[in-house]
Amino acid sequence: MQFIDVHCHYEDNRFNEDRDEVISSLPFKNVLYAISAGCSAQESLITKEIAEKYGHMYFCAGVHPCNADKFSDSEVRILKDLWQHEKCVAVGEAGLDYYWAENPEKTVQKDTFIKQIHFAKEYNLPIVIHSREAIGDMLEIIKSEKVTNGLMHCFSESNESAKICLDQGLYFSFGGVCTFKNSVRAQENLKYIPKDRILLETDSPYLAPVPNRSKRNDSSNIIYIIEHIAMLWNMTPEEVADITTKNAKRLFEKLK
């Protein structure tokens, strides 16, 4: 059984002391591929270096909404080069985050997100979407900008919101949150959303699944997410791994 982690952050400083050891071990723990997501131009450069070093690593490049006010011309120049890289599979992580009061103004976040949507279309790449406490504005932009090629990362919204994203043609990724006892929405989504639109993620080093909750996360923990989804779907873990791997390869065309 092999599986794909479609969203992680191995550029994060929590991996500084053992990054090579952790990433090198992943193929021996059934991880076929892992996609490290940049949150700024500089972090995206690090994800590129990681992807170049390891055959099983890919990356996406973009500006997270928390960094939306740093979407300068110089950052765009860096990102344009990255989006043409052979191992860059998507634009992102991009989107809206209204949770933290210190985040950039909503208008700035929206503008940066929309610009990245346009670049994703220009470079024929999916866009990886972050949405936190912003689902109304998010859905409005997705519809108005006709976003049809992308991934709703760490999705945990209402089934009504999921339906709108489904109608646009988007995919959804689920991670450790769906294993938490209080994650009612994520578990409802996993039953509502068609199986051919669901992918697996860790968001490493964050959001480790049960039984490793609160520990540093890494892609090998996907197995616990698979086991939980298998229970919800009344399937074997092998079947879940096979379905989600095929879905990931369909969305991210550079994955072989």
Side-chain angles (χ1 to χ4, degrees):
M1 177 174 65
Q2 290 183 305
F3 43 80
I4 297 174
D5 182 356
V6 301
H7 195 96
C8 47
H9 294 281
Y10 287 114
E11 78 285 356
D12 191 277
N13 59 21
R14 290 177 66 182
F15 290 108
N16 284 354
E17 293 186 6
D18 60 352
R19 182 174 291 107
D20 183 67
E21 179 183 345
V22 172
I23 296 177
S24 296
S25 72
L26 297 180
F28 302 100
K29 298 177 180 177
N30 299 320
V31 180
L32 179 60
Y33 300 122
I35 301 171
S36 205
C39 292
S40 67
Q42 292 304 314
E43 287 187 8
S44 296
L45 284 170
I46 298 172
T47 64
K48 175 191 76 102
E49 293 170 2
I50 291 171
E52 289 175 337
K53 187 174 181 180
Y54 305 95
H56 57 286
M57 294 298 303
Y58 285 78
F59 75 101
C60 53
V63 174
H64 189 283
C66 294
N67 299 318
D69 54 348
K70 300 179 178 65
F71 196 66
S72 62
D73 289 344
S74 60
E75 286 227 336
V76 170
R77 284 194 293 271
I78 292 170
L79 290 166
K80 283 184 174 181
D81 285 339
L82 294 176
W83 290 326
Q84 298 176 74
H85 193 282
E86 62 182 358
K87 297 195 81 175
C88 180
V89 299
V91 172
E93 153 183 15
L96 305 175
D97 192 318
Y98 298 166
Y99 182 78
W100 300 107
E102 62 268 28
N103 278 357
E105 292 290 333
K106 292 180 181 180
T107 54
V108 175
Q109 291 191 41
K110 290 178 185 179
D111 183 62
T112 296
F113 180 41
I114 290 170
K115 285 177 180 176
Q116 290 183 92
I117 290 171
H118 295 169
F119 282 125
K121 292 179 179 180
E122 178 182 345
Y123 289 92
N124 195 29
L125 290 170
I127 186 163
V128 175
I129 300 171
H130 172 108
S131 178
R132 191 177 190 189
E133 302 293 336
I135 192 62
D137 285 350
M138 174 59 65
L139 295 176
E140 183 178 327
I141 290 172
I142 286 172
K143 290 186 290 185
S144 65
E145 294 296 328
K146 297 180 173 58
V147 180
T148 59
N149 185 19
L151 174 69
M152 298 301 294
H153 142 67
C154 200
F155 190 77
S156 188
E157 299 290 348
S158 68
N159 287 351
E160 291 77 14
S161 296
K163 174 69 162 57
I164 294 170
C165 297
L166 282 167
D167 289 345
Q168 291 293 122
L170 302 180
Y171 288 73
F172 306 77
S173 57
F174 294 86
V177 171
C178 76
T179 69
F180 301 169
K181 287 184 178 180
N182 62 349
S183 64
V184 176
R185 275 191 172 177
Q187 298 190 45
E188 288 178 347
N189 293 152
L190 282 164
K191 295 177 181 178
Y192 173 77
I193 296 169
K195 295 177 178 61
D196 65 356
R197 297 284 192 91
I198 290 175
L199 285 68
L200 307 176
E201 66 160 83
T202 59
D203 208 16
S204 301
Y206 312 103
L207 301 175
V210 175
N212 293 326
R213 190 172 182 178
S214 299
K215 297 180 181 179
R216 187 186 70 174
N217 202 5
D218 69 63
S219 301
S220 65
N221 282 323
I222 288 276
I223 186 61
Y224 300 112
I225 300 163
I226 287 176
E227 290 172 350
H228 184 78
I229 294 176
M231 179 183 65
L232 292 176
W233 287 358
N234 194 28
M235 286 184 170
T236 66
E238 289 78 11
E239 288 173 320
V240 173
D242 182 60
I243 289 169
T244 53
T245 295
K246 288 177 180 176
N247 295 344
K249 290 181 177 181
R250 190 183 314 117
L251 176 62
F252 300 114
E253 296 179 353
K254 293 180 182 180
L255 302 181
K256 304 299 181 183

